[in-house]
Amino acid sequence: MKVIVIGGGWSGCAAAVSAARQGADVTLLERTDTLLGTGLVGGIFRNNGRFTAAEEMIAMGGGDMFHAMDKCAQHRNVEFPGHSHSSLYNIATIEPEVQRVLAGAGVDVRYQVRIADVEMDGSRIVAVKTKKNEGDLRFEGDAFVETTGTAGVPNICTKHGNGCGMCILRCHTFGNRVGIASRCGIKEIEGHKREQVGAMSGSCKLLKESLAPHIVEELNRTGVVVVPIPSSDDGSSDKLSIKACQQYALPEYQENIVLLDTGHAKLMTPYFPQAQLRKVPGFENARFEDPYSGGVGNSMRFVGMAPRDDALKVDGVDNLFCGGEKAGLLVGHTEAIVTGVLAGHNAARYLLDEPLLVLPESIAIGDAIRHVRERMQTEEGLGLKFTFSGSVYFERMKQLGSYTTDVAEIGRRIEKAGLADVFAAPDASSRHRSVRAAKPVVQPAAVHAVG
Ligand SMILES: Cc1cc2nc3c(=O)[nH]c(=O)nc-3n(C[C@H](O)[C@H](O)[C@H](O)COP(=O)(O)OP(=O)(O)OC[C@H]3O[C@@H](n4cnc5c(N)ncnc54)[C@H](O)[C@@H]3O)c2cc1C
């Protein structure tokens, strides 16, 4: 029962562990030499409705990645404009912690493996392959999960953004992201708002050492610093409108410099012209750590999403599942993890010839997966971004009454939906039975009811 996960960002890591928990033999293939993708420069979680989603996933037994984040959190319960009870993980310590989780789950992780092609048998993938000049590697599998994200690549960042910002994706070193669904002949979906294709990543990092000591002291102590920008002539209104993270497209982020402590100083704007930044008291020596060209631009995202159903199976390919940004306009680590867990779980169910799991609308995660798919069928919806942490989807959570920080209440909801520990490893005897039953054949898709 072999599951191949392509892309080692938050979603791929979550998918790999989830499939392994169901007894699958899992290989995770990552293009670079490091896990977590854009999560290497993120850090914010448990803010607003992300708290609810994280606790739902923990109650369903799929909390491994949230436990890793909690362990690496250097601030908890932080308030910053528009956001409550946030945690901030340290971007320097999180990746090795996730590596340990994957090793503990028995996932085989391969680095610097950039999948560029697929071998198909009708509408099933048989194997994925690298280019000949990149090792000529081939990985056979029974089910595949695509979690390659939507960020970059340099020609897209140039065409639709302000050029390559030299970001954490390091495309020039490791090669461009390649979408697997498109390799299978599936037409991928572009997020766009009027003539703007994609959206620019919404934050950058400054080296703390380049900031005034009193700013660093407050940042280290409280996790957040808000500094008013003296002149309004900073061009930041344009930056807000193209942000991927609409939950931060608020006037407070236009009028102030908002810094969060994720190890480095996370500056909550896609980019900030360095000369203007250095005019702000305390920022006279400011230097960008990510992206290196953070004075000019940032990575573009949300081009190349896969059409999928609510079980996160990619339309038109029998044995391909997707999670994270690949699965649609859901922004954030939490969103990538919860969809990754479901995608990995359903890849294993597919092989066990069990009905695929669709999470019900009575829980926030199930509602979000369905709602985003439906909204993406419309022009207006394609111009939006969805996250549990703000903007339109957090408003929806509040209207539906699904937003809560009451962990016991979340547990009761999950229990009521019959989903307690659904993602946890089945006990050894039942897993043994399932795997043995599934081994001889990979069933054609028609027998896999979505239930
Ligand atoms: C600068 C920045 C700051 C952010 N800050 C936050 C934050 O604070 N909080 C938050 O919740 N969200 C934040 N986000 C958003 C969040 O990081 C993403 O929405 C989420 O982590 C996406 O995860 P993913 O796994 O879907 O994709 P990605 O993180 O893009 O990971 C995809 C992975 O797939 C690999 N890959 C791609 N193609 C291939 C291939 N062909 N073969 C093998 N591997 C491949 C890539 O190398 C990468 O590791 C931020 C994003 C950015 C860019």
Side-chain angles (χ1 to χ4, degrees):
M1 184 159 105
K2 181 80 194 172
V3 173
I4 305 280
V5 180
I6 306 126
W10 271 121
S11 194
C13 292
V17 170
S18 180
R21 294 266 183 256
Q22 299 311 309
D25 173 9
V26 184
T27 299
L28 171 60
L29 306 175
E30 166 53 36
R31 178 185 64 97
T32 70
D33 58 358
T34 326
L35 294 173
L36 294 190
T38 57
L40 284 168
V41 288
I44 308 168
F45 67 109
R46 289 191 178 276
N47 47 328
N48 294 346
R50 283 180 180 156
F51 187 100
T52 314
E55 289 297 334
E56 282 186 354
M57 189 43 84
I58 290 168
M60 288 190 283
D64 301 82
M65 296 299 146
F66 294 113
H67 296 315
M69 282 175 162
D70 283 334
K71 196 168 169 189
C72 296
Q74 60 182 51
H75 297 279
R76 293 183 174 80
N77 230 357
V78 173
E79 306 281 312
F80 59 93
H83 294 259
S84 296
H85 49 73
S86 316
S87 290
L88 305 173
Y89 66 70
N90 185 312
I91 57 172
T93 59
I94 186 73
E95 196 261 353
E97 183 58 33
V98 173
Q99 276 195 25
R100 286 189 280 275
V101 176
L102 289 162
V107 175
D108 173 25
V109 184
R110 308 281 181 94
Y111 297 94
Q112 290 184 242
V113 175
R114 187 176 74 111
I115 296 304
D117 209 352
V118 295
E119 252 174 55
M120 304 284 291
D121 176 9
S123 52
R124 276 185 61 237
I125 305 179
V126 176
V128 291
K129 300 187 290 192
T130 67
K131 285 190 167 171
K132 281 204 166 24
N133 62 353
E134 292 178 20
D136 200 11
L137 301 171
R138 180 177 179 277
F139 298 86
E140 283 184 8
D142 304 309
F144 296 79
V145 183
E146 173 170 19
T147 46
T148 55
T150 63
V153 296
N155 60 333
I156 290 177
C157 297
T158 300
K159 189 170 172 196
H160 303 299
N162 292 356
C164 171
M166 307 289 282
C167 76
I168 191 66
L169 295 170
R170 298 166 290 163
C171 303
H172 299 284
T173 308
F174 296 108
N176 290 348
R177 168 179 58 80
V178 177
I180 305 308
S182 69
R183 300 275 94 192
C184 299
I186 303 300
K187 191 174 177 338
E188 294 181 333
I189 306 165
E190 270 182 1
H192 59 88
K193 199 171 189 175
R194 293 182 291 276
E195 64 283 1
Q196 174 65 55
V197 174
M200 194 177 281
S201 296
S203 71
C204 33
K205 320 264 133 8
L206 298 171
L207 288 168
K208 277 186 188 169
E209 296 87 331
S210 70
L211 305 177
H214 71 275
I215 293 179
V216 179
E217 187 280 323
E218 189 181 339
L219 193 59
N220 288 344
R221 185 168 42 81
T222 66
V224 55
V225 171
V226 179
V227 181
I229 301 172
S231 156
S232 62
D233 181 25
D234 68 344
S236 56
S237 50
D238 293 331
K239 296 198 290 271
L240 289 181
S241 65
I242 58 169
K243 276 179 82 126
C245 316
Q246 288 300 300
Q247 68 272 31
Y248 308 122
L250 305 170
E252 289 93 325
Y253 293 85
Q254 198 166 308
E255 293 155 9
N256 300 288
I257 290 175
V258 179
L259 295 180
L260 301 177
D261 181 19
T262 56
H264 294 288
K266 184 176 169 85
L267 173 59
M268 298 300 289
T269 184
Y271 62 96
F272 204 121
Q274 185 164 283
Q276 287 174 26
L277 182 60
R278 287 183 170 183
K279 285 186 191 149
V280 180
F283 292 80
E284 292 85 352
N285 303 317
R287 186 175 149 183
F288 286 95
E289 192 268 337
D290 173 79
Y292 275 126
S293 308
V296 176
N298 211 326
S299 55
M300 295 301 288
R301 311 219 306 275
F302 295 104
V303 284
M305 296 169 286
R308 49 83 179 168
D309 62 21
D310 295 340
L312 299 180
K313 194 189 79 63
V314 174
D315 295 346
V317 187
D318 296 349
N319 60 345
L320 179 62
F321 296 80
C322 64
E325 292 187 358
K326 195 74 202 179
L329 294 161
L330 270 168
V331 188
H333 312 328
T334 303
E335 294 75 359
I337 291 168
V338 298
T339 51
V341 171
L342 181 62
H345 182 85
N346 274 336
R349 279 188 177 230
Y350 170 83
L351 296 179
L352 294 167
D353 197 21
E354 290 175 5
L356 302 184
L357 179 65
V358 173
L359 296 175
E361 292 162 32
S362 60
I363 69 169
I365 299 172
D367 178 68
I369 289 172
R370 186 194 55 80
H371 181 72
V372 168
R373 180 186 52 72
E374 285 178 358
R375 294 303 308 272
M376 285 178 63
Q377 317 286 325
T378 67
E379 269 307 296
E380 191 214 350
L382 280 176
L384 298 170
K385 308 291 169 297
F386 301 86
T387 157
F388 300 109
S389 70
S391 189
V392 288
Y393 192 76
F394 184 43
E395 283 311 310
R396 179 177 167 87
M397 285 180 81
K398 288 189 277 192
Q399 276 164 19
L400 294 175
S402 64
Y403 167 55
T404 177
T405 55
D406 182 339
V407 176
E409 164 60 19
I410 294 167
R412 280 192 292 276
R413 268 187 215 167
I414 296 297
E415 193 79 46
K416 192 169 166 203
L419 293 169
D421 283 334
V422 68
F423 294 119
D427 65 58
S429 56
S430 66
R431 185 202 289 171
H432 180 68
R433 278 201 306 277
S434 306
V435 173
R436 198 172 46 195
K439 259 197 165 161
V441 281
V442 175
Q443 298 287 350
V447 302
H448 291 272
V450 175

